[in-house]
Amino acid sequence: MQTDRDAKEEAFEQDKTEIYISDHYIFHYRAGSVAEKDIKFIAETQEKCFSKICSSLKVDYTEKIDYFLTESPLEIGRVIWEEEAPCNGCALCGRNKVYATYNNNIKCIGSHEDTHLISFLMNFPESDFVVEGLAMYMDGLWW
């Protein structure tokens, strides 16, 4: 039975009609978007990140990741949080999907969300500190 969240995910995904396929990703985006203009750069960036993550974690990830690029963090927030809360990016572990904002001001690409997906194969710790710490480490960012 389809839940309300499943329906929202389906609607979110269906309007990303353009597709670009790389070695490990299927990118979905809207025609005329900033993502469409930069799609080769996005794919190259994610492929480098994918290799780094898999090598570091010693994981053989064989499935392609569905990567949905949108212009608005509010659009992701409505699906994930079911309210008007912005969200720049989100990994749907177990579903092999990433939702990411990509516009002139926000470019939510890189290792972070992919680290969540790929590390999920090994284990999904209950501690948010471990989950986010690993993703931030792979980003190469520390606050």
Side-chain angles (χ1 to χ4, degrees), residues 42-109:
I42 294 167
E44 289 171 7
T45 300
Q46 292 315 117
E47 287 294 344
K48 288 177 188 173
C49 292
F50 181 92
S51 294
K52 175 185 168 189
I53 296 163
C54 288
S55 174
S56 296
L57 299 178
K58 296 179 179 24
V59 172
D60 183 24
Y61 200 87
T62 57
E63 293 184 57
K64 286 190 185 279
I65 296 170
D66 279 302
Y67 213 96
F68 293 88
L69 296 155
T70 189
E71 297 82 24
S72 169
L74 277 175
E75 189 177 3
I76 297 171
R78 285 184 200 115
V79 174
I80 302 305
W81 311 122
E82 301 184 14
E83 58 185 63
E84 294 291 320
C87 178
N88 287 341
C90 182
L92 281 70
C93 297
R95 294 183 182 184
N96 205 43
K97 297 177 184 178
V98 170
Y99 292 170
T101 303
Y102 195 91
N103 59 38
N104 287 323
N105 299 315
I106 301 168
K107 301 201 180 341
C108 187
I109 60 173

